Amino acid sequence: MARSDASRGISAVGAVGDDPAARMAAEVRAGLLTRPLPTLPSKYFYDDRGSALFEDITRTTEYYQTRTEEALLETVADRVIAAAAPRELVELGSGVGRKIRLLLDAMKRRGWLERCLLFDINERMLDQSVARLEGDYPGLVARGVVGDFTEDLSVLGPGGDRLVLFLAGTIGNLHPDEVPAFLASVARQMGPGDGFLVGLDLVKSESRLHAAYNDAAGVTAEFNRNILRVINDRLGADFDPLAFEHVAFYDRKRQWIEMRLRARSASRVRIPAAGLELDYRPGDEIRTEISAKYTRETFAAKLLGTALRVEEFFTDPEKLFALALLERTEETPGR
Ligand code: SAH
Ligand code: AVI
């Protein structure tokens, strides 16, 4: 445990000698040296500026995901709570902690409101969200955990009466090949009968997807470039973010949106903490995010061997977005 502040109900977890900067330096180094396509882990978008930019994205007309998922949650929250009968909600990648309220309200209506835990990589946002939830839901015990949901989930401890939430389509930001192992790692923190609600952005027309990641106001472009600012701030690098242009396209074969940063001009970039000095030529690209889109079938295929099964699959009338309610079976999560 790197640091914990029990008075605020916030604790931090981490690997690599519990040094987040060393962990980031190692990941950035490995990613930028990857060939043929250098990559950066998309979790590094989310410093305070990046988290605020994500919120701005959710308000653009082109980004249908957030409003669609919120409307769907409003419709199905009571059914989800009745089916899962939780005493504790856990949200992975909780962000501003707004959507969880729809489920807390449904728990309150049943008199089941007891505990909730928000898990996110951005400490300040977590801190604010936990404080707001405690203020708005008297009697609720709210906790926050700062960590990486792909590595640190064991901190959740054993499940039982638990409903885990993974909303926004954030599962799409994991490489599809990594999804079964991730799902199994969540299942390990669930007791038999516990629930897991996963938000999925569905496969749809390329033009709709393209617009959502290329908004006219350029908010997504700013969000994309923010990853370079985060590397500058945390690793002492000297990227000029404006020397890179935002690129986002739909890969129809892989069924994912890919975001890249493309060098507009030649530059030499130093990243002292990662021991790197890199030369970029015009046109060189770095992949910063994938955002995989699913169908009911392609998602179900990821569940094999994970000890999770689909209990319900909800979609909005336009079939833009889905909420899959999974149940932990008695099996042992395999992967
Ligand atoms: N759940 C919110 C926010 C989604 S944005 C919503 O529905 O709007 C994705 C969130 O996941 C951000 O808050 C980001 O900080 C967090 N995040 C991204 N990668 C993460 C990781 N590897 N571990 C923990 N949190 C992560
Ligand atoms: C958080 N995640 C689901 C968003 C997505 O759509 O993949 C992040 C994002 N990237 C660009 N716009 C929004």
Side-chain angles (χ1 to χ4, degrees):
M1 183 104 12
R3 188 197 39 70
S4 106
D5 182 347
S7 63
R8 290 181 305 146
I10 303 280
S11 55
V13 290
V16 190
D18 271 348
D19 179 350
R23 181 179 183 166
M24 178 176 180
E27 289 171 344
V28 166
R29 181 181 167 83
L32 289 179
L33 293 177
T34 299
R35 296 292 180 271
L37 183 60
T39 59
L40 284 169
S42 57
K43 64 184 171 186
Y44 293 124
F45 283 127
Y46 300 95
D47 67 346
D48 294 339
R49 183 171 182 272
S51 297
L53 282 166
F54 174 72
E55 276 305 296
D56 292 344
I57 289 174
T58 67
R59 287 189 283 268
T60 63
T61 43
E62 295 92 338
Y63 199 78
Y64 56 85
Q65 286 94 317
T66 307
R67 54 180 173 272
T68 307
E69 188 183 36
E70 270 173 9
L72 186 56
L73 261 180
E74 272 188 49
T75 314
V76 304
D78 284 306
R79 278 164 69 186
V80 168
I81 294 302
R87 302 284 156 159
E88 180 191 51
L89 290 186
V90 171
E91 184 173 3
L92 308 177
S94 46
V96 291
R98 194 175 50 240
K99 290 176 192 160
I100 196 172
R101 288 166 181 256
L102 297 168
L103 292 153
L104 290 171
D105 291 341
M107 284 168 80
K108 202 164 132 188
R109 285 194 281 276
R110 293 197 165 237
W112 289 348
L113 192 62
E114 281 184 20
R115 284 165 286 133
C116 88
L117 186 147
L118 305 182
F119 189 114
D120 204 282
I121 204 150
N122 182 315
E123 179 168 5
R124 193 198 303 253
M125 214 173 33
L126 200 58
D127 204 349
Q128 288 171 355
S129 308
V130 168
R132 282 199 205 112
L133 287 181
E134 282 195 322
D136 293 346
Y137 292 86
L140 174 72
V141 177
R143 268 206 310 142
V145 171
V146 187
D148 180 337
F149 51 58
T150 63
E151 304 199 16
D152 304 320
L153 281 189
S154 60
V155 75
L156 298 178
D161 298 328
R162 176 177 278 169
L163 173 63
V164 182
L165 314 174
F166 195 35
L167 304 176
T170 305
I171 197 164
N173 300 136
L174 302 179
H175 191 290
D177 292 348
E178 292 164 5
V179 166
F182 170 76
L183 291 172
S185 75
V186 178
R188 274 183 221 107
Q189 309 308 134
M190 297 165 63
D194 282 4
F196 183 14
L197 188 67
V198 184
L200 299 167
D201 194 15
L202 296 174
V203 171
K204 59 183 63 63
S205 83
E206 190 167 340
S207 59
R208 188 100 197 228
L209 287 166
H210 188 270
Y213 293 85
N214 290 279
D215 62 283
V219 186
T220 309
E222 210 41 45
F223 173 76
N224 194 3
R225 280 191 284 264
N226 192 60
I227 204 164
L228 301 182
R229 294 183 197 275
V230 175
I231 293 171
N232 287 349
D233 290 349
R234 297 193 185 161
L235 301 181
D238 60 358
F239 274 109
D240 173 6
L242 294 176
F244 288 80
E245 68 177 306
H246 166 69
V247 176
F249 61 93
Y250 186 58
D251 182 329
R252 217 178 305 178
K253 188 164 147 268
R254 295 193 170 96
Q255 299 190 316
W256 72 37
I257 283 281
E258 194 162 320
M259 292 211 312
R260 297 184 181 184
L261 288 168
R262 182 184 292 150
R264 295 184 208 266
S265 52
S267 65
R268 170 162 294 184
V269 175
R270 286 158 214 84
I271 314 178
L276 284 178
E277 195 166 297
L278 298 165
D279 285 314
Y280 288 96
R281 291 158 307 163
D284 282 352
E285 293 185 338
I286 304 169
R287 183 164 80 192
T288 50
E289 186 181 69
I290 59 172
S291 188
K293 310 305 167 190
Y294 285 95
T295 63
R296 186 175 179 151
E297 292 71 31
T298 59
F299 182 64
K302 301 292 178 199
L303 297 176
L304 290 173
T306 64
L308 295 167
R309 66 167 195 91
V310 178
E311 195 177 353
E312 304 235 37
F313 196 84
F314 307 104
T315 64
D316 60 290
E318 278 188 272
K319 297 205 171 14
L320 296 175
F321 205 90
L323 284 167
L325 178 61
L326 311 180
E327 187 188 23
R328 167 73 207 265
T329 65
E330 299 280 349
E331 296 158 65
T332 306
R335 307 183 204 219

